[in-house]
Amino acid sequence: MRILLVEDERRIASFIKRGLQGNQYVVDVAYDGVKGLYLAEINTYDLIILDVMLPEKNGMVVCKELREKKIDTPVLMLTARDTVCDKVSGLDSGADDYLTKPFAFEEFLARVRALLRKKRQDKSTTLQVADLVLDQLTRTVMRAGTAITLTSKEYALLEYLMLHANEVVTRTMLSEHVWDEHFDTLTNVIDVYINYIRNKIDKDFSPPLLHTIRGTGYMLKEGK
Ligand code: CA
């Protein structure tokens, strides 16, 4: 899951970024509203975390412009202020949720998870394909009852494939949602990680669940 964080206070931005990365999210950061809007337009994010008080363009204006441009990515607004008026204008500008700083990081993460589930019909925090089960709360993976240890990048990749089970997932989708803006399109890093995952979830189990769709991408599914 790839998240855009728009926050001008560097210390807070780096704290949030590290916390999210520690939870297997991919994070791009913008330090002002104009750059935030630009990144949101050129990249595809699963969630945008938007501070209200920003230089260049404030968070409310950024949010309104995103919605006007038909970018419907969920937005979590952050602000130091805590008045009903601000909450109302934040939500009216098109934000999906609102959190007042300072906040407990656990609550922040819970809201992030809830917003990421919002687009899905199935709101459960457990993903399953055949006997492969991924728990998004504990970030653990089991196949046929056996625990599988994944690195954070492998987890992020498998989670994305499981969220799109039975669909063709292209390399572009993976580069956009599992890697950040520094992704180098000339490397074979996606194939490398797909092989790592295949070794962990398929090698010692049957039937194989991760299929290569020649010339297109990958599909996680039960059966051929
Ligand atoms: Ca700020």
Side-chain angles (χ1 to χ4, degrees):
M1 297 288 205
R2 185 172 175 188
I3 296 176
L4 172 63
L5 170 63
V6 192
E7 165 64 83
D8 58 314
E9 286 167 73
R10 306 247 164 181
R11 202 173 43 85
I12 297 177
S14 110
F15 168 75
I16 295 178
K17 183 181 181 181
R18 271 185 284 119
L20 287 170
Q21 286 174 330
N23 284 273
Q24 280 76 43
Y25 297 109
V26 176
V27 187
D28 292 338
V29 182
Y31 299 106
D32 65 68
V34 170
K35 177 81 188 296
L37 195 59
Y38 171 73
L39 287 180
E41 283 180 69
I42 62 163
N43 297 317
T44 311
Y45 294 100
D46 299 294
L47 174 68
I48 298 171
I49 297 164
L50 193 54
D51 187 33
V52 170
M53 301 293 282
L54 288 170
E56 308 292 337
K57 223 170 227 185
N58 79 43
M60 308 258 185
V61 175
V62 171
C63 192
K64 232 170 133 258
E65 290 187 18
L66 282 173
R67 299 316 186 213
E68 280 165 11
K69 291 173 194 291
K70 306 290 174 219
I71 296 169
D72 65 352
T73 311
V75 169
L76 171 58
M77 268 201 184
L78 303 179
T79 184
R81 296 181 296 178
D82 183 22
T83 64
V84 173
C85 178
D86 282 336
K87 285 184 188 172
V88 169
S89 13
L91 294 170
D92 279 349
S93 72
D96 298 86
D97 198 4
Y98 202 100
L99 196 57
T100 306
K101 293 192 275 189
F103 48 79
F105 202 73
E106 280 309 311
E107 181 186 357
F108 169 77
L109 279 180
R111 286 176 188 251
V112 164
R113 285 192 297 264
L115 286 170
L116 289 170
R117 280 197 301 274
K118 227 177 128 174
K119 273 202 285 187
R120 290 165 49 203
Q121 300 219 308
D122 173 7
K123 308 285 185 202
S124 83
T125 55
T126 306
L127 309 175
Q128 182 159 6
V129 176
D131 55 358
L132 179 67
V133 181
L134 180 148
D135 184 327
Q136 293 181 301
L137 289 182
T138 57
R139 292 183 295 281
T140 50
V141 176
M142 311 263 276
R143 177 139 193 213
T146 305
I148 292 174
T149 310
L150 299 174
T151 64
S152 54
K153 185 58 82 188
E154 290 165 359
Y155 174 91
L157 179 55
L158 182 63
E159 181 187 47
Y160 190 81
L161 289 164
M162 290 188 80
L163 284 166
H164 298 270
N166 303 306
E167 295 169 28
V168 176
V169 174
T170 64
R171 300 161 61 83
T172 307
M173 287 162 77
L174 291 174
S175 70
E176 285 176 350
H177 292 271
V178 185
W179 272 270
D180 63 18
E181 58 180 332
H182 306 295
F183 179 77
D184 180 353
T185 49
L186 299 176
T187 67
N188 65 342
V189 65
I190 292 179
D191 310 75
V192 170
Y193 275 93
I194 286 283
N195 279 332
Y196 290 157
I197 288 184
R198 199 168 255 150
N199 274 326
K200 293 187 179 183
I201 67 163
D202 276 347
K203 195 169 142 245
D204 299 328
F205 303 92
S206 160
L209 301 176
L210 182 50
H211 305 267
T212 299
I213 312 296
R214 198 173 285 276
T216 314
Y218 308 94
M219 190 189 292
L220 195 68
K221 60 168 180 173
E222 191 171 8
K224 290 217 166 196

